[in-house]
Amino acid sequence: MDFSQSQQQKRCNTVLLSPAQTPRSSVRRSLRYSLSMDLWSSNIKPDRGVNVEVILRCRPLNDDEKQLKLPVVISCNEGKGEVSVVQNTAYKQIDKTFSFDKVFGPTSRQKELFDEAISPIVNEVLEGYNCTIFAYGQTGTGKTYTMEGGRVGEVESGEFPSDVGIIPRAVQQILDVLEARNEEYSMKVTFLELYNEDIMDLLAPDESLNGRMTSPESQ
Ligand SMILES: Nc1ncnc2c1ncn2[C@@H]1O[C@H](COP(=O)(O)OP(=O)(O)OP(=O)(O)O)[C@@H](O)[C@H]1O
């Protein structure tokens, strides 16, 4: 999203990681979702110690995984921002603990994640900082669910359905704040998909407008 406003360029970035809770034979990593919000600019926000935060979210086991009685190999300590992974080798069990800026466990709700981790970043965009939030993780770990949302349930009196994810919530917050300011504003939105070196403009009215990207090696 681009807004035009004469401010210095500033940046903040958040990476949402989705680990697999159950062991998988092949690990296929995919980087799918990125939400970039710009207000011009390029310096680091002066009062931030770091300009990249890494947040980890674990999804619950799905019905198939429960039916197959697959073991849960990750435990989340949200208070400490830690995740422990249990690995059973032929000879012994190895536990490893990893620390993140924030951890959201399998029972975390969409609103909770948005309010605690994303809403402050959206406010920074509205203050003039460039921010990117992207989700990274192997297939089936919850990137789409976190960024876009799950099945849409009942809409309750102006509130989002509980399954709605980060992108619609961020857009709503931006529009609410801009409307409350009662000033004239313009907003530009782009929605691109990059898959196997094909770039798709998901908002293009005509498919022929989609371009194909080529890497330097393939030229
Ligand atoms: N936090 C969650 N709570 C409940 N269900 C979830 C959660 N995260 C993911 N799911 C469910 O798990 C399934 C896989 O999630 P999702 O499609 O978001 O994965 P993905 O990382 O986007 O996968 P891919 O890279 O293959 O597109 C979906 O059915 C989704 O609804």
Side-chain angles (χ1 to χ4, degrees):
M1 287 171 211
D2 295 340
F3 297 94
S4 294
Q5 193 170 310
S6 56
Q7 294 214 15
Q8 270 192 310
Q9 189 173 352
K10 306 152 185 175
R11 291 217 166 97
C12 52
N13 302 289
T14 291
V15 187
L16 279 157
L17 293 180
S18 317
Q21 278 209 309
T22 56
R24 283 165 188 260
S25 51
S26 66
V27 176
R28 176 162 79 82
R29 289 192 172 142
S30 54
L31 166 56
R32 282 275 302 276
Y33 284 98
S34 167
L35 174 63
S36 289
M37 299 174 279
D38 303 345
L39 268 178
W40 264 123
S41 21
S42 99
N43 302 336
I44 300 166
K45 190 176 179 184
D47 56 357
R48 269 177 105 96
V50 290
N51 63 346
V52 178
E53 276 189 326
V54 182
I55 298 169
L56 183 123
R57 186 184 200 184
C58 295
R59 70 160 170 79
L61 292 184
N62 62 32
D63 291 344
D64 290 346
E65 289 162 344
K66 281 184 199 153
Q67 214 168 9
L68 290 167
K69 295 193 168 45
L70 293 178
V72 174
V73 294
I74 279 179
S75 68
C76 298
N77 185 331
E78 296 188 1
K80 284 185 162 176
E82 287 180 355
V83 172
S84 299
V85 184
V86 180
Q87 280 184 315
N88 283 307
T89 67
Y91 306 103
K92 56 179 177 180
Q93 179 180 311
I94 305 166
D95 294 351
K96 284 185 186 159
T97 299
F98 301 91
S99 298
F100 296 89
D101 292 304
K102 284 191 179 73
V103 168
F104 291 89
T107 56
S108 63
R109 318 303 310 164
Q110 299 280 60
K111 184 173 185 320
E112 176 194 342
L113 182 137
F114 182 81
D115 289 349
E116 285 181 27
I118 308 300
S119 177
I121 297 171
V122 176
N123 284 333
E124 286 177 5
V125 172
L126 292 160
E127 284 170 22
Y129 296 91
N130 281 352
C131 297
T132 297
I133 298 163
F134 73 86
Y136 179 85
Q138 76 183 68
T139 187
T141 49
K143 301 180 296 296
T144 310
Y145 181 86
T146 298
M147 296 300 280
E148 289 185 9
R151 283 167 290 128
V152 173
E154 291 293 308
V155 182
E156 287 165 30
S157 59
E159 278 275 305
F160 272 127
S162 58
D163 263 1
V164 163
I166 287 175
I167 296 172
R169 287 176 195 272
V171 170
Q172 184 70 62
Q173 183 176 337
I174 289 166
L175 292 175
D176 284 350
V177 172
L178 291 176
E179 274 172 34
R181 283 184 189 169
N182 215 11
E183 289 167 2
E184 202 170 301
Y185 61 87
S186 74
M187 186 167 167
K188 190 177 106 190
V189 177
T190 51
F191 195 13
L192 304 174
E193 180 179 70
L194 181 57
Y195 187 70
N196 284 345
E197 295 183 11
D198 282 330
I199 190 160
M200 294 269 289
D201 180 349
L202 299 175
L203 299 178
D206 179 351
E207 263 187 37
S208 64
L209 296 175
N210 288 321
R212 185 179 164 79
M213 277 184 62
T214 47
S215 65
E217 300 89 68
S218 63
Q219 284 172 348

